[in-house]
Amino acid sequence: MVVVGAGPAGLSAANTLARLGGRVTVFDEHDEPGGTMRYAVAEFRLPLEALLTDIRTILGRGVHFSGGRKFGRDISFESLRDDGFDAVLLCVGSCEPLRLPGAGGEEEGFFDALSFLARAKEGKPVRLRGRVVVIGGGNVAIDSARVALRLGAADVTVACLESGETMPAFRWEIEEAEAEGV
């Protein structure tokens, strides 16, 4: 059987299928497994070594990983069937960023959170000067705010619809961000 996508859902599914005795191959467009956990989640949130330990455990169960192969470009349902696979589970995630209507592009200083976090994780961070506003109240917004401070923003504010008490981010995440100066 095939799992398309080596992010959290795909790796979890592959792990469960392998534990149940299935022979599983995981395909992903990236060269290494981990998805957003590897390529965008900040190190303070999830240390890379912890992720790699989990991946080694999953692959150690006999799960085969094939990277650099994008569904729809390099592989298809037909090619997987022709290769003898009898079941396919799609775990491709949600990669399209939400852009605010009327917001400019990156050249004007507007970034979507996942691209911003991925660039910082790749070591190609955005140069930040002055004040930064992060719009949103979830954990990704809080991570973005904390990373913005680490990248040199003079002041970072989180703006969201909810009050501080009802924000969707974990309370402890909010408290850690505030302690850092967000």
Side-chain angles (χ1 to χ4, degrees):
M1 59 191 74
V2 168
V3 174
V4 178
L11 290 174
S12 180
N15 185 50
T16 299
L17 292 166
R19 289 178 47 217
L20 294 172
R23 295 182 59 205
V24 183
T25 299
V26 178
F27 291 99
D28 196 88
E29 67 180 301
H30 293 292
D31 292 330
E32 300 292 334
T36 298
M37 295 182 300
R38 178 185 287 260
Y39 294 104
V41 173
E43 183 77 13
F44 63 81
R45 164 79 79 170
L46 176 65
L48 180 60
E49 191 52 44
L51 174 63
L52 295 177
T53 297
D54 289 344
I55 290 171
R56 283 191 292 269
T57 299
I58 293 167
L59 298 179
R61 291 196 165 94
V63 171
H64 175 71
F65 174 74
S66 181
R69 300 188 63 196
K70 183 177 175 74
F71 189 79
R73 180 188 71 204
D74 305 307
I75 55 176
S76 65
F77 288 120
E78 294 78 20
S79 70
L80 293 171
R81 184 187 60 237
D82 292 346
D83 288 342
F85 294 106
D86 57 358
V88 177
L89 176 61
L90 294 177
C91 299
V92 293
S94 175
C95 299
E96 292 300 316
L98 177 64
R99 307 271 317 162
L100 291 174
E106 290 185 4
E107 56 280 349
E108 289 93 27
F110 292 90
F111 300 89
D112 69 89
L114 288 180
S115 296
F116 173 75
L117 291 170
R119 285 179 60 177
K121 183 121 185 204
E122 289 173 6
K124 301 174 186 173
V126 175
R127 285 200 194 281
L128 298 176
R129 299 177 306 280
R131 300 179 66 199
V132 171
V133 174
V134 177
I135 301 173
N139 290 324
V140 173
I142 297 298
D143 285 357
S144 298
R146 294 173 74 187
V147 168
L149 279 177
R150 287 167 169 78
L151 294 178
D155 180 64
V156 179
T157 301
V158 173
C160 62
L161 296 173
E162 303 85 5
S163 69
E165 294 74 35
T166 61
M167 288 171 62
F170 298 132
R171 171 63 24 211
W172 61 271
E173 289 280 349
I174 297 166
E175 290 169 359
E176 286 184 7
E178 289 173 339
E180 290 181 26
V182 172

